[in-house]
Amino acid sequence: MRFRPRVLVIGAGFGGLAAAYELSHDGLADVTVLEKADDIGGVWRENTYPGAACDVPSNLYSYSFARKNDWGRRYAEQPDILGYIHDTAEQFGLRELVRTGVEVTSAEYDDGTATWRVTTASGEVLEAEVLVPAVGQLSRPSLPNIPGLDSFTGPSFHSAQWRHDVDLTGRRVAVLGTGASAIQFVPRIRQTAGQVTIFQRSAPYVVPKVDRAYTDRHHAAFEKVPGWAAAMRGVIWETTELLGLALTRAKPLARMLQALASSNLKRHIKDPELRAKLTPDYPIGCKRVLFSSDWYPALASDNVDVQTEEITEVTPTGVRTADGRLHEVDVIIYGTGFKATEFLAPMTITGRGGRDLNAEWADGARAHLGIAVTGFPNMFLIYGPNTNLGSSSVILMMEQQAGYIRQIVTELARRGPGRAFEVRPSVERAYDAEVQARLDKGVWTGCDSWYRTASGRVTTNWPGLVHEYQRRTRTAALGDFQEVLSRESSLV
Protein backbone atom coordinates (compact mmCIF):
# COMPACT_ATOMS: atom_id res chain seq x y z
CA MET A 1 0.00 0.00 0.00
CA ARG A 2 1.35 3.44 -0.94
CA PHE A 3 2.59 5.63 1.89
CA ARG A 4 0.26 8.59 2.48
CA PRO A 5 2.09 11.38 4.32
CA ARG A 6 0.13 13.12 7.04
CA VAL A 7 -0.10 16.86 6.45
CA LEU A 8 -1.13 19.53 8.95
CA VAL A 9 -2.18 22.82 7.36
CA ILE A 10 -2.50 25.81 9.69
CA GLY A 11 -5.17 28.25 8.54
CA ALA A 12 -8.34 27.86 6.48
CA GLY A 13 -8.26 30.97 4.32
CA PHE A 14 -7.59 31.09 0.59
CA GLY A 15 -4.02 29.79 1.04
CA GLY A 16 -4.76 26.96 3.44
CA LEU A 17 -7.67 25.69 1.37
CA ALA A 18 -5.55 25.83 -1.81
CA ALA A 19 -2.98 23.63 -0.07
CA ALA A 20 -5.68 21.28 1.19
CA TYR A 21 -7.06 20.90 -2.33
CA GLU A 22 -3.68 20.19 -3.93
CA LEU A 23 -2.49 17.75 -1.27
CA SER A 24 -5.74 15.84 -0.75
CA HIS A 25 -7.03 15.26 -4.26
CA ASP A 26 -6.21 11.88 -5.78
CA GLY A 27 -5.64 10.66 -2.22
CA LEU A 28 -2.03 11.88 -2.17
CA ALA A 29 -1.89 12.76 1.51
CA ASP A 30 -3.89 12.60 4.71
CA VAL A 31 -4.66 16.30 5.19
CA THR A 32 -6.00 18.07 8.26
CA VAL A 33 -6.53 21.83 8.31
CA LEU A 34 -6.41 23.51 11.72
CA GLU A 35 -8.33 26.78 11.98
CA LYS A 36 -8.39 28.81 15.19
CA ALA A 37 -11.65 30.59 14.34
CA ASP A 38 -15.09 29.01 14.27
CA ASP A 39 -15.34 29.01 10.47
CA ILE A 40 -13.26 29.05 7.31
CA GLY A 41 -12.53 32.17 5.24
CA GLY A 42 -9.42 33.86 6.64
CA VAL A 43 -9.32 37.63 6.13
CA TRP A 44 -12.66 37.50 4.33
CA ARG A 45 -14.27 36.01 7.42
CA GLU A 46 -12.68 38.57 9.73
CA ASN A 47 -13.04 41.81 7.77
CA THR A 48 -16.74 42.65 7.82
CA TYR A 49 -16.46 46.44 7.99
CA PRO A 50 -18.86 48.51 5.83
CA GLY A 51 -17.70 48.57 2.22
CA ALA A 52 -15.22 45.71 2.59
CA ALA A 53 -14.31 44.58 -0.93
CA CYS A 54 -11.46 43.33 -3.06
CA ASP A 55 -9.29 45.72 -5.07
CA VAL A 56 -8.49 43.00 -7.61
CA PRO A 57 -11.15 42.52 -10.33
CA SER A 58 -13.35 39.59 -9.37
CA ASN A 59 -12.67 37.60 -12.58
CA LEU A 60 -9.11 37.12 -11.34
CA TYR A 61 -10.01 36.60 -7.70
CA SER A 62 -10.83 32.91 -7.69
CA TYR A 63 -8.98 29.61 -7.86
CA SER A 64 -8.05 28.37 -11.32
CA PHE A 65 -9.66 25.02 -10.43
CA ALA A 66 -12.92 26.70 -9.36
CA ARG A 67 -13.44 29.79 -11.47
CA LYS A 68 -16.50 31.81 -10.60
CA ASN A 69 -18.39 33.53 -13.41
CA ASP A 70 -21.36 34.95 -11.54
CA TRP A 71 -19.77 37.59 -9.32
CA GLY A 72 -22.14 40.36 -8.34
CA ARG A 73 -19.72 43.16 -9.16
CA ARG A 74 -16.57 43.86 -11.11
CA TYR A 75 -14.86 44.23 -7.71
CA ALA A 76 -16.41 41.65 -5.43
CA GLU A 77 -17.55 42.61 -1.95
CA GLN A 78 -16.80 40.69 1.23
CA PRO A 79 -20.04 38.68 1.50
CA ASP A 80 -19.70 37.50 -2.10
CA ILE A 81 -16.05 36.46 -1.61
CA LEU A 82 -16.77 34.66 1.65
CA GLY A 83 -19.67 32.89 -0.04
CA TYR A 84 -17.34 31.78 -2.83
CA ILE A 85 -14.88 30.35 -0.29
CA HIS A 86 -17.70 28.42 1.41
CA ASP A 87 -19.10 27.14 -1.90
CA THR A 88 -15.68 26.01 -3.13
CA ALA A 89 -14.89 24.23 0.13
CA GLU A 90 -18.21 22.37 -0.10
CA GLN A 91 -17.80 21.53 -3.79
CA PHE A 92 -14.37 19.95 -3.36
CA GLY A 93 -14.91 18.32 0.01
CA LEU A 94 -12.46 20.60 1.78
CA ARG A 95 -14.73 21.44 4.71
CA GLU A 96 -14.51 17.91 6.01
CA LEU A 97 -10.73 18.33 6.26
CA VAL A 98 -11.01 21.41 8.49
CA ARG A 99 -11.10 21.40 12.27
CA THR A 100 -12.31 24.78 13.49
CA GLY A 101 -11.75 26.26 16.93
CA VAL A 102 -8.25 24.77 17.06
CA GLU A 103 -5.49 27.31 17.72
CA VAL A 104 -1.92 26.15 17.14
CA THR A 105 0.50 27.48 19.74
CA SER A 106 3.67 25.61 18.78
CA ALA A 107 5.17 23.12 16.35
CA GLU A 108 8.35 21.11 16.90
CA TYR A 109 10.25 18.94 14.47
CA ASP A 110 11.21 15.53 15.88
CA ASP A 111 14.61 14.49 14.51
CA GLY A 112 14.08 10.95 15.73
CA THR A 113 10.99 10.27 13.64
CA ALA A 114 11.20 13.03 10.98
CA THR A 115 7.76 14.24 11.97
CA TRP A 116 6.24 17.45 13.25
CA ARG A 117 4.54 17.60 16.66
CA VAL A 118 1.95 20.36 16.77
CA THR A 119 0.51 21.56 20.08
CA THR A 120 -2.80 23.41 20.31
CA ALA A 121 -4.11 25.90 22.86
CA SER A 122 -6.17 23.10 24.45
CA GLY A 123 -3.03 21.02 25.00
CA GLU A 124 -3.78 18.52 22.23
CA VAL A 125 -0.72 17.20 20.39
CA LEU A 126 -0.94 16.21 16.72
CA GLU A 127 1.70 14.58 14.55
CA ALA A 128 2.36 14.77 10.83
CA GLU A 129 5.14 14.26 8.33
CA VAL A 130 4.51 17.64 6.70
CA LEU A 131 3.67 21.04 8.19
CA VAL A 132 2.11 23.75 6.01
CA PRO A 133 1.63 27.09 7.80
CA ALA A 134 -0.88 29.16 5.83
CA VAL A 135 -1.72 31.91 8.30
CA GLY A 136 -1.24 34.77 5.85
CA GLN A 137 0.42 38.15 6.16
CA LEU A 138 -2.69 40.15 7.06
CA SER A 139 -4.23 38.11 9.86
CA ARG A 140 -3.07 39.91 13.02
CA PRO A 141 -4.44 43.44 13.52
CA SER A 142 -1.92 46.09 14.53
CA LEU A 143 -2.71 48.86 16.98
CA PRO A 144 -0.56 52.00 17.13
CA ASN A 145 1.84 52.59 20.01
CA ILE A 146 0.10 55.66 21.38
CA PRO A 147 -0.15 56.52 25.10
CA GLY A 148 -3.60 56.19 26.62
CA LEU A 149 -5.04 53.77 24.08
CA ASP A 150 -6.93 51.90 26.80
CA SER A 151 -8.16 55.03 28.56
CA PHE A 152 -10.82 55.97 26.03
CA THR A 153 -14.25 55.50 27.62
CA GLY A 154 -16.26 55.14 24.43
CA PRO A 155 -16.33 52.23 21.97
CA SER A 156 -13.04 51.63 20.14
CA PHE A 157 -12.12 48.84 17.76
CA HIS A 158 -9.90 47.81 14.85
CA SER A 159 -11.47 47.73 11.40
CA ALA A 160 -10.76 43.97 11.19
CA GLN A 161 -12.74 43.48 14.41
CA TRP A 162 -15.68 45.64 13.47
CA ARG A 163 -18.31 46.11 16.16
CA HIS A 164 -21.62 45.97 14.38
CA ASP A 165 -23.38 46.58 17.69
CA VAL A 166 -22.04 50.16 17.77
CA ASP A 167 -24.45 52.53 16.06
CA LEU A 168 -22.50 55.37 14.44
CA THR A 169 -25.59 57.42 13.55
CA GLY A 170 -25.01 61.02 14.54
CA ARG A 171 -21.82 60.14 16.44
CA ARG A 172 -18.45 61.85 16.37
CA VAL A 173 -16.06 59.25 14.98
CA ALA A 174 -12.26 59.29 14.93
CA VAL A 175 -10.55 57.17 12.29
CA LEU A 176 -6.86 56.50 12.75
CA GLY A 177 -5.19 55.53 9.50
CA THR A 178 -5.76 56.04 5.78
CA GLY A 179 -4.91 52.63 4.36
CA ALA A 180 -6.80 50.13 2.22
CA SER A 181 -9.49 49.46 4.82
CA ALA A 182 -10.13 53.08 5.77
CA ILE A 183 -10.67 54.18 2.18
CA GLN A 184 -13.44 51.61 1.95
CA PHE A 185 -15.29 52.15 5.23
CA VAL A 186 -14.97 55.94 5.63
CA PRO A 187 -17.18 56.74 2.59
CA ARG A 188 -19.82 54.42 4.07
CA ILE A 189 -19.81 55.55 7.70
CA ARG A 190 -19.71 59.26 6.90
CA GLN A 191 -23.18 58.90 5.38
CA THR A 192 -24.71 58.38 8.83
CA ALA A 193 -22.09 59.64 11.29
CA GLY A 194 -22.41 63.16 12.63
CA GLN A 195 -18.71 63.96 12.18
CA VAL A 196 -15.74 61.86 11.00
CA THR A 197 -12.25 63.03 11.89
CA ILE A 198 -9.50 61.22 10.03
CA PHE A 199 -6.00 61.20 11.50
CA GLN A 200 -3.58 60.74 8.65
CA ARG A 201 0.09 59.94 9.13
CA SER A 202 0.90 59.75 5.43
CA ALA A 203 -1.23 60.41 2.35
CA PRO A 204 -1.83 57.44 0.04
CA TYR A 205 -1.87 57.47 -3.74
CA VAL A 206 -5.45 56.75 -4.82
CA VAL A 207 -6.49 55.90 -8.37
CA PRO A 208 -10.09 55.56 -9.54
CA LYS A 209 -11.81 52.22 -9.02
CA VAL A 210 -13.96 51.63 -12.07
CA ASP A 211 -16.52 49.42 -10.38
CA ARG A 212 -20.00 48.41 -11.40
CA ALA A 213 -22.61 45.76 -10.75
CA TYR A 214 -22.66 42.92 -13.26
CA THR A 215 -25.91 42.68 -15.20
CA ASP A 216 -27.77 39.63 -16.47
CA ARG A 217 -26.17 40.29 -19.86
CA HIS A 218 -22.70 40.09 -18.32
CA HIS A 219 -23.54 36.82 -16.59
CA ALA A 220 -25.05 35.39 -19.75
CA ALA A 221 -21.90 36.25 -21.72
CA PHE A 222 -19.63 34.73 -19.08
CA GLU A 223 -21.74 31.57 -19.02
CA LYS A 224 -22.66 31.04 -22.66
CA VAL A 225 -19.98 32.61 -24.86
CA PRO A 226 -17.17 30.05 -25.24
CA GLY A 227 -13.91 31.31 -23.82
CA TRP A 228 -15.25 34.73 -22.86
CA ALA A 229 -14.73 34.37 -19.09
CA ALA A 230 -11.25 32.90 -19.62
CA ALA A 231 -10.37 35.73 -22.01
CA MET A 232 -11.55 38.34 -19.51
CA ARG A 233 -9.47 36.70 -16.79
CA GLY A 234 -6.45 36.73 -19.06
CA VAL A 235 -6.88 40.39 -20.01
CA ILE A 236 -7.24 41.41 -16.36
CA TRP A 237 -4.20 39.35 -15.42
CA GLU A 238 -2.02 41.01 -18.06
CA THR A 239 -3.33 44.43 -17.03
CA THR A 240 -2.32 43.79 -13.42
CA GLU A 241 1.08 42.66 -14.64
CA LEU A 242 1.48 46.06 -16.32
CA LEU A 243 0.75 47.64 -12.94
CA GLY A 244 3.37 45.30 -11.49
CA LEU A 245 5.86 46.54 -14.07
CA ALA A 246 5.08 50.12 -13.07
CA LEU A 247 5.86 49.28 -9.46
CA THR A 248 9.02 47.29 -10.10
CA ARG A 249 11.03 48.49 -13.07
CA ALA A 250 9.11 50.47 -15.72
CA LYS A 251 9.44 54.12 -14.67
CA PRO A 252 7.41 55.52 -17.60
CA LEU A 253 4.47 53.37 -16.50
CA ALA A 254 4.98 54.55 -12.93
CA ARG A 255 4.82 58.17 -14.10
CA MET A 256 1.58 57.44 -15.94
CA LEU A 257 0.11 55.84 -12.81
CA GLN A 258 1.21 58.80 -10.71
CA ALA A 259 -0.41 61.19 -13.18
CA LEU A 260 -3.65 59.22 -12.92
CA ALA A 261 -3.58 59.46 -9.13
CA SER A 262 -2.77 63.17 -9.26
CA SER A 263 -5.64 63.91 -11.65
CA ASN A 264 -7.99 61.91 -9.43
CA LEU A 265 -7.01 64.09 -6.47
CA LYS A 266 -7.33 67.35 -8.39
CA ARG A 267 -10.69 66.37 -9.83
CA HIS A 268 -12.33 65.82 -6.46
CA ILE A 269 -10.44 68.03 -4.00
CA LYS A 270 -10.75 71.73 -4.86
CA ASP A 271 -9.69 73.18 -1.52
CA PRO A 272 -5.92 73.87 -1.82
CA GLU A 273 -5.22 73.27 1.88
CA LEU A 274 -6.95 69.89 1.89
CA ARG A 275 -5.34 68.96 -1.43
CA ALA A 276 -1.90 69.70 0.05
CA LYS A 277 -2.69 67.40 2.98
CA LEU A 278 -3.70 64.62 0.60
CA THR A 279 -0.67 64.88 -1.69
CA PRO A 280 1.83 62.04 -1.06
CA ASP A 281 5.46 62.97 -0.42
CA TYR A 282 7.04 59.69 -1.58
CA PRO A 283 7.37 57.81 -4.90
CA ILE A 284 4.24 56.06 -6.10
CA GLY A 285 4.20 52.39 -5.18
CA CYS A 286 6.45 52.79 -2.13
CA LYS A 287 3.33 52.25 -0.05
CA ARG A 288 0.33 50.32 -1.29
CA VAL A 289 -1.47 52.06 -4.18
CA LEU A 290 -5.17 52.29 -3.32
CA PHE A 291 -8.23 52.07 -5.55
CA SER A 292 -11.33 54.14 -4.84
CA SER A 293 -13.71 56.46 -6.63
CA ASP A 294 -15.47 57.66 -3.47
CA TRP A 295 -12.59 58.32 -1.04
CA TYR A 296 -11.83 61.86 -2.16
CA PRO A 297 -15.51 62.87 -2.49
CA ALA A 298 -16.01 61.61 1.06
CA LEU A 299 -13.09 63.70 2.34
CA ALA A 300 -14.49 66.77 0.61
CA SER A 301 -17.85 66.43 2.36
CA ASP A 302 -18.90 68.79 5.15
CA ASN A 303 -18.87 66.21 7.95
CA VAL A 304 -15.36 64.86 7.32
CA ASP A 305 -12.17 66.48 8.59
CA VAL A 306 -8.57 65.42 7.88
CA GLN A 307 -5.95 65.98 10.57
CA THR A 308 -2.25 65.56 9.84
CA GLU A 309 -0.81 66.64 13.19
CA GLU A 310 0.90 63.78 15.02
CA ILE A 311 -1.20 62.10 17.71
CA THR A 312 0.39 62.42 21.14
CA GLU A 313 -2.17 60.55 23.23
CA VAL A 314 -5.62 59.09 23.47
CA THR A 315 -7.63 60.44 26.40
CA PRO A 316 -10.87 59.23 28.00
CA THR A 317 -12.81 61.58 25.72
CA GLY A 318 -10.84 61.76 22.51
CA VAL A 319 -7.57 62.15 20.64
CA ARG A 320 -4.92 64.77 21.41
CA THR A 321 -2.55 65.98 18.70
CA ALA A 322 0.89 67.58 18.83
CA ASP A 323 -0.57 71.09 18.52
CA GLY A 324 -2.19 70.54 21.93
CA ARG A 325 -5.71 70.25 20.59
CA LEU A 326 -8.05 67.64 22.05
CA HIS A 327 -10.40 66.22 19.43
CA GLU A 328 -13.36 64.98 21.43
CA VAL A 329 -15.10 61.99 19.85
CA ASP A 330 -17.63 59.30 20.73
CA VAL A 331 -16.06 56.37 18.87
CA ILE A 332 -12.51 55.50 17.76
CA ILE A 333 -11.90 53.17 14.79
CA TYR A 334 -8.37 51.95 14.13
CA GLY A 335 -7.66 51.48 10.43
CA THR A 336 -4.03 50.82 11.27
CA GLY A 337 -3.35 47.65 9.32
CA PHE A 338 -1.72 44.39 10.32
CA LYS A 339 1.51 42.94 11.71
CA ALA A 340 2.49 41.80 8.24
CA THR A 341 6.22 41.32 8.87
CA GLU A 342 5.75 39.13 11.97
CA PHE A 343 5.44 35.88 10.04
CA LEU A 344 3.89 32.91 11.89
CA ALA A 345 3.73 34.84 15.18
CA PRO A 346 2.70 34.21 17.89
CA MET A 347 3.37 30.52 17.28
CA THR A 348 6.64 28.98 18.43
CA ILE A 349 8.22 26.93 15.64
CA THR A 350 11.19 24.68 16.49
CA GLY A 351 13.10 23.00 13.69
CA ARG A 352 15.88 20.46 13.32
CA GLY A 353 18.36 20.42 16.20
CA GLY A 354 16.20 22.75 18.29
CA ARG A 355 16.39 25.73 15.93
CA ASP A 356 13.99 28.50 16.93
CA LEU A 357 12.34 30.14 13.91
CA ASN A 358 11.92 33.46 15.70
CA ALA A 359 15.67 33.53 16.31
CA GLU A 360 16.43 32.47 12.73
CA TRP A 361 14.26 35.32 11.50
CA ALA A 362 15.46 37.91 14.03
CA ASP A 363 16.59 40.29 11.26
CA GLY A 364 13.60 39.56 9.03
CA ALA A 365 11.81 36.53 7.64
CA ARG A 366 13.24 34.70 4.62
CA ALA A 367 12.43 31.50 2.78
CA HIS A 368 13.44 29.93 -0.52
CA LEU A 369 10.72 30.95 -3.00
CA GLY A 370 8.81 32.10 0.08
CA ILE A 371 8.13 28.42 0.77
CA ALA A 372 11.03 26.50 2.37
CA VAL A 373 13.31 27.41 5.29
CA THR A 374 16.71 25.88 5.99
CA GLY A 375 16.69 23.95 9.26
CA PHE A 376 12.97 23.24 9.11
CA PRO A 377 12.53 20.01 7.14
CA ASN A 378 9.15 19.26 5.57
CA MET A 379 7.79 22.68 6.58
CA PHE A 380 6.43 24.54 3.57
CA LEU A 381 4.80 27.97 3.72
CA ILE A 382 1.85 29.36 1.85
CA TYR A 383 1.98 33.16 1.40
CA GLY A 384 5.37 33.25 3.08
CA PRO A 385 8.10 35.90 3.01
CA ASN A 386 8.41 37.97 -0.18
CA THR A 387 5.36 36.50 -1.91
CA ASN A 388 2.96 39.41 -1.46
CA LEU A 389 2.08 41.51 -4.49
CA GLY A 390 1.81 45.22 -5.08
CA SER A 391 -0.59 44.33 -7.89
CA SER A 392 -2.48 41.33 -9.29
CA SER A 393 -4.16 38.51 -7.37
CA VAL A 394 -2.27 36.85 -4.54
CA ILE A 395 -4.44 33.76 -5.09
CA LEU A 396 -2.27 33.11 -8.17
CA MET A 397 0.78 33.03 -5.92
CA MET A 398 -0.87 30.79 -3.34
CA GLU A 399 -1.91 28.27 -5.97
CA GLN A 400 1.63 28.11 -7.30
CA GLN A 401 2.97 27.46 -3.82
CA ALA A 402 0.39 24.73 -3.23
CA GLY A 403 1.33 23.04 -6.51
CA TYR A 404 5.03 23.25 -5.66
CA ILE A 405 4.43 21.66 -2.26
CA ARG A 406 2.39 18.90 -3.89
CA GLN A 407 5.40 17.89 -5.96
CA ILE A 408 7.55 17.50 -2.87
CA VAL A 409 4.86 15.59 -0.98
CA THR A 410 4.49 13.31 -4.00
CA GLU A 411 8.19 12.48 -3.74
CA LEU A 412 7.87 11.88 0.00
CA ALA A 413 5.01 9.48 -0.68
CA ARG A 414 7.16 7.65 -3.22
CA ARG A 415 10.16 7.29 -0.93
CA GLY A 416 8.27 6.23 2.18
CA PRO A 417 8.26 7.30 5.85
CA GLY A 418 11.20 8.50 7.89
CA ARG A 419 12.38 11.04 5.32
CA ALA A 420 12.17 14.79 5.00
CA PHE A 421 13.27 17.46 2.53
CA GLU A 422 15.14 20.53 3.72
CA VAL A 423 16.23 23.34 1.43
CA ARG A 424 20.00 23.59 1.14
CA PRO A 425 21.52 26.58 3.00
CA SER A 426 23.40 27.72 -0.11
CA VAL A 427 20.19 27.69 -2.16
CA GLU A 428 18.26 29.70 0.42
CA ARG A 429 21.10 32.23 0.81
CA ALA A 430 21.52 32.72 -2.94
CA TYR A 431 17.80 33.18 -3.48
CA ASP A 432 17.45 35.62 -0.60
CA ALA A 433 20.45 37.65 -1.77
CA GLU A 434 18.94 37.92 -5.25
CA VAL A 435 15.50 38.95 -3.99
CA GLN A 436 16.86 41.54 -1.56
CA ALA A 437 19.19 42.99 -4.19
CA ARG A 438 16.25 43.46 -6.53
CA LEU A 439 14.12 44.93 -3.75
CA ASP A 440 16.90 47.35 -2.76
CA LYS A 441 16.77 48.78 -6.29
CA GLY A 442 13.00 49.01 -6.29
CA VAL A 443 10.40 51.44 -5.08
CA TRP A 444 9.54 49.74 -1.77
CA THR A 445 12.70 50.90 0.01
CA GLY A 446 11.91 54.58 -0.59
CA CYS A 447 9.74 55.06 2.50
CA ASP A 448 8.50 53.40 5.67
CA SER A 449 5.60 51.04 5.13
CA TRP A 450 4.09 47.78 6.31
CA TYR A 451 6.17 46.08 3.63
CA ARG A 452 9.34 46.60 5.70
CA THR A 453 10.68 45.57 9.10
CA ALA A 454 11.98 48.10 11.62
CA SER A 455 15.48 47.51 10.22
CA GLY A 456 14.29 48.40 6.73
CA ARG A 457 14.31 44.92 5.19
CA VAL A 458 11.41 44.25 2.80
CA THR A 459 10.06 40.87 3.88
CA THR A 460 6.59 40.92 2.36
CA ASN A 461 6.75 41.67 -1.35
CA TRP A 462 7.84 39.73 -4.41
CA PRO A 463 10.11 41.91 -6.61
CA GLY A 464 8.88 40.60 -9.96
CA LEU A 465 5.76 39.67 -11.87
CA VAL A 466 3.42 36.75 -11.21
CA HIS A 467 4.49 35.16 -14.49
CA GLU A 468 8.10 35.03 -13.30
CA TYR A 469 7.13 33.49 -9.98
CA GLN A 470 5.03 30.88 -11.74
CA ARG A 471 7.93 30.00 -14.02
CA ARG A 472 10.32 29.63 -11.10
CA THR A 473 7.95 27.48 -9.05
CA ARG A 474 6.45 25.40 -11.85
CA THR A 475 8.84 22.53 -11.13
CA ALA A 476 10.14 21.75 -7.66
CA ALA A 477 13.86 21.17 -8.18
CA LEU A 478 14.65 18.37 -5.76
CA GLY A 479 18.33 19.18 -6.16
CA ASP A 480 17.65 22.36 -4.16
CA PHE A 481 16.86 20.15 -1.18
CA GLN A 482 18.82 17.75 0.97
CA GLU A 483 17.13 14.61 2.18
CA VAL A 484 17.05 14.31 5.94
CA LEU A 485 16.57 10.83 7.41
CA SER A 486 15.05 10.25 10.79
CA ARG A 487 17.47 8.86 13.36
CA GLU A 488 15.39 5.71 13.41
CA SER A 489 15.78 5.26 9.63
CA SER A 490 19.50 6.02 9.67
CA LEU A 491 20.08 3.28 12.24
CA VAL A 492 18.40 0.60 10.11
Side-chain angles (χ1 to χ4, degrees), residues 396-425:
L396 300 171
M397 303 287 279
M398 293 173 176
E399 279 200 88
Q400 280 299 121
Q401 293 150 18
Y404 183 96
I405 296 168
R406 178 182 172 86
Q407 294 176 58
I408 298 175
V409 174
T410 298
E411 186 62 20
L412 286 170
R414 189 185 70 81
R415 298 191 186 191
R419 290 166 169 79
F421 285 111
E422 177 186 334
V423 66
R424 297 181 185 279

Side-chain angles (χ1 to χ4, degrees), residues 44-122:
W44 295 108
R45 178 197 60 242
E46 296 298 302
N47 287 268
T48 62
Y49 58 80
C54 192
D55 56 11
V56 174
S58 52
N59 298 72
L60 195 56
Y61 208 73
S62 60
Y63 297 119
S64 62
F65 62 85
R67 296 182 185 178
K68 179 178 171 67
N69 296 327
D70 59 348
W71 292 107
R73 305 189 64 83
R74 179 176 290 159
Y75 291 89
E77 297 182 333
Q78 179 267 340
D80 214 5
I81 297 172
L82 186 60
Y84 166 76
I85 294 172
H86 285 180
D87 291 345
T88 303
E90 292 288 352
Q91 179 183 353
F92 293 95
L94 303 180
R95 265 191 180 277
E96 62 194 47
L97 306 179
V98 181
R99 290 183 55 190
T100 57
V102 180
E103 181 177 2
V104 173
T105 56
S106 65
E108 182 177 5
Y109 182 75
D110 186 331
D111 298 273
T113 60
T115 58
W116 282 93
R117 293 170 55 85
V118 171
T119 303
T120 72
S122 68

Side-chain angles (χ1 to χ4, degrees), residues 354-437:
R355 288 173 173 81
D356 176 52
L357 188 60
N358 287 329
E360 297 286 323
W361 284 353
D363 62 345
R366 67 196 70 206
H368 179 56
L369 298 170
I371 299 172
V373 183
T374 298
F376 296 80
N378 279 4
M379 182 182 81
F380 306 108
L381 306 173
I382 297 286
Y383 201 9
N386 296 115
T387 63
N388 184 59
L389 298 172
S391 63
S392 197
S393 171
V394 77
I395 296 175
L396 300 171
M397 303 287 279
M398 293 173 176
E399 279 200 88
Q400 280 299 121
Q401 293 150 18
Y404 183 96
I405 296 168
R406 178 182 172 86
Q407 294 176 58
I408 298 175
V409 174
T410 298
E411 186 62 20
L412 286 170
R414 189 185 70 81
R415 298 191 186 191
R419 290 166 169 79
F421 285 111
E422 177 186 334
V423 66
R424 297 181 185 279
S426 58
V427 171
E428 185 191 60
R429 285 195 300 268
Y431 174 81
D432 183 64
E434 177 211 338
V435 167
Q436 291 302 316

Side-chain angles (χ1 to χ4, degrees), residues 308-475:
T308 56
E309 287 282 341
E310 182 182 0
I311 297 173
T312 56
E313 66 172 332
V314 174
T315 75
T317 60
V319 178
R320 191 181 304 278
T321 47
D323 57 2
R325 181 181 172 188
L326 175 62
H327 304 264
E328 294 194 337
V329 295
D330 304 307
V331 181
I332 298 178
I333 303 174
Y334 295 100
T336 46
F338 301 87
K339 300 176 181 179
T341 60
E342 296 181 11
F343 289 86
L344 304 192
M347 294 183 291
T348 300
I349 310 293
T350 307
R352 183 170 54 81
R355 288 173 173 81
D356 176 52
L357 188 60
N358 287 329
E360 297 286 323
W361 284 353
D363 62 345
R366 67 196 70 206
H368 179 56
L369 298 170
I371 299 172
V373 183
T374 298
F376 296 80
N378 279 4
M379 182 182 81
F380 306 108
L381 306 173
I382 297 286
Y383 201 9
N386 296 115
T387 63
N388 184 59
L389 298 172
S391 63
S392 197
S393 171
V394 77
I395 296 175
L396 300 171
M397 303 287 279
M398 293 173 176
E399 279 200 88
Q400 280 299 121
Q401 293 150 18
Y404 183 96
I405 296 168
R406 178 182 172 86
Q407 294 176 58
I408 298 175
V409 174
T410 298
E411 186 62 20
L412 286 170
R414 189 185 70 81
R415 298 191 186 191
R419 290 166 169 79
F421 285 111
E422 177 186 334
V423 66
R424 297 181 185 279
S426 58
V427 171
E428 185 191 60
R429 285 195 300 268
Y431 174 81
D432 183 64
E434 177 211 338
V435 167
Q436 291 302 316
R438 291 171 64 180
L439 288 167
D440 285 345
K441 297 175 183 176
V443 69
W444 293 307
T445 56
C447 63
D448 291 330
S449 73
W450 62 263
Y451 298 146
R452 307 175 74 191
T453 64
S455 66
R457 178 184 170 91
V458 177
T459 59
T460 54
N461 284 10
W462 166 242
L465 303 183
V466 175
H467 284 311
E468 180 194 349
Y469 188 80
Q470 288 188 325
R471 175 179 55 79
R472 297 179 69 161
T473 55
R474 186 168 293 120
T475 301

Side-chain angles (χ1 to χ4, degrees), residues 293-307:
S293 295
D294 51 12
W295 170 245
Y296 288 141
L299 300 192
S301 60
D302 293 338
N303 68 331
V304 176
D305 181 40
V306 178
Q307 293 291 324

Side-chain angles (χ1 to χ4, degrees), residues 127-260:
E127 292 188 356
E129 281 74 34
V130 179
L131 180 67
V132 181
V135 296
Q137 297 185 17
L138 306 177
S139 59
R140 298 177 62 226
S142 176
L143 292 176
N145 185 21
I146 299 173
L149 227 62
D150 296 331
S151 69
F152 184 66
T153 56
S156 63
F157 51 89
H158 192 278
S159 61
Q161 299 163 332
W162 196 271
R163 286 189 53 184
H164 294 277
D165 62 317
V166 177
D167 185 3
L168 301 180
T169 303
R171 311 288 289 278
R172 297 170 300 174
V173 182
V175 175
L176 276 62
T178 54
S181 298
I183 72 160
Q184 293 185 339
F185 70 73
V186 166
R188 298 291 182 94
I189 67 171
R190 71 96 184 168
Q191 296 174 14
T192 56
Q195 176 70 29
V196 178
T197 303
I198 298 169
F199 294 87
Q200 173 187 276
R201 187 171 60 178
S202 130
Y205 283 96
V206 183
V207 298
K209 186 176 185 178
V210 187
D211 193 13
R212 62 170 296 174
Y214 280 131
T215 65
D216 291 341
R217 291 179 62 187
H218 281 103
H219 291 144
F222 290 147
E223 187 67 29
K224 297 177 181 178
V225 178
W228 178 247
M232 284 292 295
R233 182 179 171 97
V235 167
I236 292 169
W237 186 349
E238 296 306 327
T239 302
T240 62
E241 292 283 66
L242 282 175
L243 177 57
L245 275 175
L247 299 179
T248 54
R249 59 179 184 268
K251 291 185 178 179
L253 288 175
R255 287 193 290 269
M256 290 172 60
L257 187 63
Q258 184 159 340
L260 178 61

